[in-house]
Amino acid sequence: MPKLMQYTKGSIVYFEGDKDERVFILQKGIAVSTTTDIETKEPITEQIKNGEFFGAKSALGHFPREETVTVLTDATCVALSVPEFETMFGGNKGVMMKMLRVFSGQLRQVHKKIESILNQDNTINPMAAMISVAQAFYDDEKFRSCCDVCIAFLKRFPNYYDKNEVIKLYTISKAHADKQANNYDEESIEDINSGSPLKQFNLPAFQRFAKNYEPGQVIICEFEPGDAFYLIQSGKVQLVKCVNGTNKNLDILRPGELFGEMAILDNSPRSATCMAAGHVQCLEFSKANFEILVAGNPQIALMLLKSFCKRIYDQKRRLKILVINDLQARIADVFCMLDEMNPVSMTNKSLRRFDVTIQDIARWAGLSVDLTRAEIDKYISRNKIEVFENYIVVHSIADMERMANNGQISRN
């Protein structure tokens, strides 16, 4: 049952870093949340209004508190467990949509900060940008993907002044793609099993939303307007972002995961390209029926909330890495992040094996592969790590933590 909590003036509801999976509602009194800006290290204080939720993001995402909450007067709060929050508010369309928009906006702001640090142009022309995505796929010999981006471009911008060049790129890519078509190996398809909380989406009523995609087919293209979002039913979806004319792999999504929802909520262009990694089946939901879908299917709203919570946390963690000026410390913090997100236990408590490559480390650190390799060579020369073809062994994760902490202190 939800608990009524009484706090006296000056009390702390919870501290930054606490592991506390409760959602709070301020009923009476004045409370403020204080966070530390990742870039400037300056405190940011915001007032919590009566009737507002707080603590929901870390509770739903199952990660430590990002802020300290203090009451400035005697105050009364209601504390709910995550299951209690889901039961009481999961079916409330107004609450769900408000929280989704707030979390979407927060995630977009973190993305903008990361793009700024990586010197990416936020005002880039979407037509030029989509062409660069198509060209990057062509350069990578992913010809099917290049064709799909060209088609999406011509549909969006039929009057483009130089569309003949896009048609030419499509024609050349199509010829190559036809030759590649029979070279894909059949693979086992992951799907939403009968025990999944999403099993209701296998019902016949949802089949009218089903879309099938072939290997390499682009589902949504970076920089195009967003008018649909997707739930993966089977197969895997690769997320790719075009950086300085080169497509960089961001993530692999699996059955039960959603993508494309950010553009639905804040009317922004697509922030990444999503392509089928093998044969994929998705449910496609349009912008027009999004709110109706959420209202009638609380499970989707809760999934989206939890997805945003995790993505905000992950992106803030990456931003924390990118603001470290010392490159050795920055790379050390990448290993710390990997250990936090997906630790690999070994016989030696301090030894870690991470199934990543130097290219992966470079992406998370926001550095070129050559520069990353040079910095990692310094670690190798000091016998701190070993690099293999498909994995890296860190001899002491504690050493990496000390290096990362020293780098964070030195920039203050």
Side-chain angles (χ1 to χ4, degrees):
M1 291 289 292
K3 294 183 179 179
L4 198 64
M5 312 289 290
Q6 303 287 344
Y7 297 94
T8 58
K9 178 182 178 180
S11 296
I12 304 294
V13 181
Y14 56 76
F15 287 95
E16 179 181 356
D18 284 354
K19 294 183 178 179
D20 179 0
E21 295 191 357
R22 290 178 295 171
V23 179
F24 292 86
I25 306 172
L26 180 63
Q27 277 203 329
K28 185 175 69 174
I30 300 174
V32 294
S33 69
T34 304
T35 58
T36 302
D37 186 271
I38 294 173
E39 292 181 281
T40 66
K41 300 300 181 183
E42 295 294 325
I44 301 173
T45 300
E46 296 180 352
Q47 183 173 338
I48 301 168
K49 298 177 182 178
N50 285 342
E52 283 189 339
F53 293 93
F54 62 95
K57 190 164 54 183
S58 54
L60 293 171
H62 305 291
F63 52 78
R65 300 295 195 188
E66 293 182 316
E67 71 285 343
T68 297
V69 173
T70 309
V71 296
L72 304 183
T73 64
D74 291 348
T76 303
C77 299
V78 175
L80 305 93
S81 67
V82 170
E84 288 168 347
F85 169 81
E86 293 177 355
T87 299
M88 293 181 66
F89 297 101
N92 187 317
K93 174 185 171 183
V95 170
M96 290 294 101
M97 291 304 301
K98 181 178 179 180
M99 294 182 75
L100 284 170
R101 289 195 173 95
V102 168
F103 288 175
S104 173
Q106 291 178 2
L107 183 57
R108 182 67 64 182
Q109 288 303 313
V110 179
H111 279 170
K112 287 180 179 178
K113 289 184 179 182
I114 289 175
E115 289 172 353
S116 175
I117 290 173
L118 295 175
N119 296 317
Q120 294 174 13
D121 187 356
N122 293 324
T123 61
I124 192 168
N125 182 299
M127 291 183 283
M130 285 186 70
I131 291 173
S132 70
V133 172
Q135 185 64 52
F137 278 128
Y138 181 85
D139 294 341
D140 290 339
E141 298 185 359
K142 295 180 178 179
F143 300 114
R144 170 61 194 269
S145 303
C146 178
C147 289
D148 290 337
V149 176
C150 289
I151 291 171
F153 178 91
L154 293 169
K155 286 181 178 179
R156 298 284 182 182
F157 310 109
N159 298 318
Y160 180 61
Y161 78 97
D162 202 14
K163 72 176 183 180
N164 286 337
E165 284 300 310
V166 180
I167 294 171
K168 180 180 177 182
L169 180 60
Y170 167 81
T171 303
I172 297 171
S173 297
K174 182 67 166 59
H176 288 300
D178 289 343
K179 293 179 182 179
Q180 289 181 337
N182 297 322
N183 294 333
Y184 289 104
D185 294 328
E186 288 296 324
E187 56 185 55
S188 59
I189 303 296
E190 292 184 67
D191 58 13
I192 300 174
N193 59 53
S194 58
S196 165
L198 296 175
K199 62 184 179 182
Q200 74 263 31
F201 298 113
N202 283 328
L203 295 174
F206 286 96
Q207 290 312 301
R208 64 192 177 98
F209 301 111
K211 301 286 184 179
N212 294 296
Y213 299 93
E214 299 175 355
Q217 187 171 355
V218 170
I219 304 170
I220 60 177
C221 178
E222 186 179 1
F223 302 111
E224 70 177 339
D227 51 17
F229 78 105
Y230 302 82
L231 168 68
I232 304 172
Q233 285 195 300
S234 64
K236 300 175 184 177
V237 173
Q238 174 77 59
L239 268 62
V240 176
K241 188 167 185 64
C242 188
V243 180
N244 298 324
T246 302
N247 282 326
K248 305 290 186 181
N249 292 333
L250 296 181
D251 202 358
I252 291 282
L253 302 182
R254 291 176 168 79
E257 294 191 84
L258 294 147
F259 62 95
E261 70 279 8
M262 280 180 61
I264 290 291
L265 290 164
D266 60 11
N267 298 312
S268 57
R270 300 296 193 184
S271 60
T273 297
C274 301
M275 53 188 288
H279 294 282
V280 172
Q281 183 177 71
C282 295
L283 297 181
E284 179 187 73
F285 300 111
S286 71
K287 192 169 186 176
N289 62 25
F290 173 68
E291 292 195 23
I292 296 173
L293 180 71
V294 167
N297 299 272
Q299 192 75 301
I300 282 190
L302 290 169
M303 278 181 56
L304 286 172
L305 282 180
K306 293 177 181 179
S307 173
F308 278 131
C309 292
K310 181 180 185 303
R311 291 186 192 180
I312 290 169
Y313 179 78
D314 290 347
Q315 291 300 306
K316 283 188 174 180
R317 186 64 183 87
R318 189 186 179 204
L319 180 59
K320 181 182 174 184
I321 292 169
L322 294 176
V323 299
I324 299 175
N325 295 324
D326 183 277
L327 300 187
Q328 285 279 283
R330 187 186 295 191
I331 289 172
D333 204 32
V334 170
F335 289 117
C336 293
M337 178 197 71
L338 293 172
D339 190 52
E340 294 162 12
M341 295 172 64
N342 190 25
V344 180
S345 299
M346 300 185 74
T347 305
N348 185 324
K349 290 184 179 179
S350 194
L351 193 71
R352 297 289 188 273
R353 166 180 163 161
F354 299 106
D355 294 326
V356 297
T357 64
I358 289 178
Q359 288 79 5
D360 295 324
I361 301 300
R363 173 170 60 81
W364 283 309
L367 303 172
S368 70
V369 174
D370 289 342
L371 184 54
T372 302
R373 185 176 287 110
E375 294 297 325
I376 283 182
D377 283 344
K378 296 176 185 177
Y379 277 121
I380 294 173
S381 68
R382 303 201 306 272
N383 198 33
K384 296 292 186 182
I385 67 174
E386 294 178 81
V387 177
F388 299 88
E389 184 177 358
N390 295 314
Y391 65 94
I392 296 175
V393 173
V394 173
H395 291 168
S396 173
I397 195 65
D399 283 350
M400 294 296 152
E401 291 170 355
R402 281 192 291 271
M403 281 287 298
N405 288 335
N406 288 339
Q408 292 168 24
I409 292 171
S410 66
R411 68 178 297 275
N412 291 341

